[in-house]
Amino acid sequence: MKMKKIKKGSMTVETACVMSLILLVLMGTLDLCFFVHNRAWLTAAAYEAALVGSMEGVKEEGKVYETAKARCEELGNVGFFGAENLTANVEADDRVQVSYELDTIVGYGGLKWHLKTEGNAKIIRPAQWIRKVKAAGEVIKGIGEG
């Protein structure tokens, strides 16, 4: 029975060769996680600012644009890891539209991912909306009986 001779240090060389690939994948996954976090946060912030502005539109002297812009800036000032050039845009007419744009730094070669998120909300009058829903319910109820 012949015994194989184990070459000392072969495992160290193999690990050194594979470790660079493992670290590249690990850092890429980490960068992607930060990108997804920033996108999710900004999308939620855009919808929240649009909703706050649309709720202000119900008031008689409501300042839709100013309210949505203030909320947009408040939510946009939260620190994002690896983000730069954050810009926010608010438009208000019968809908409130809020959009954010920013660049997320990728750890390789100074590359950047450009991110744009948008949120919008329609200005509705709650009392009128409830009356319309109740009227539609009565019509459907009347159709079912007849």
Side-chain angles (χ1 to χ4, degrees), residues 103-118:
D103 294 323
T104 300
I105 300 169
V106 181
Y108 312 112
L111 298 173
K112 295 179 182 180
W113 284 333
H114 185 73
L115 169 64
K116 181 175 182 180
T117 61
E118 295 179 348

Side-chain angles (χ1 to χ4, degrees), residues 28-44:
T29 303
L30 193 61
D31 284 338
L32 184 62
C33 287
F34 285 123
F35 176 79
V36 170
H37 170 267
N38 290 346
R39 182 177 179 93
W41 177 264
L42 284 177
T43 301

Side-chain angles (χ1 to χ4, degrees), residues 16 19-20 23 27 31-32 36 40 49-50 53-55 68 71 78 96-97 100-101 111-112 118 122 130 137 146:
M19 191 55 72
S20 61
L23 288 175
M27 295 306 288
D31 284 338
L32 184 62
V36 170
S54 71
M55 290 188 309
R71 188 67 176 158
V78 176
V96 180
Q97 296 178 321
Y100 288 103
E101 289 189 49
L111 298 173
K112 295 179 182 180
E118 295 179 348
K122 184 177 180 182
I130 291 171

Side-chain angles (χ1 to χ4, degrees), residues 3-15:
M3 297 288 279
K4 279 189 166 182
K5 192 172 185 181
I6 298 175
K7 296 180 182 178
K8 292 188 178 197
S10 64
M11 186 63 130
T12 305
V13 172
E14 291 171 6
T15 303

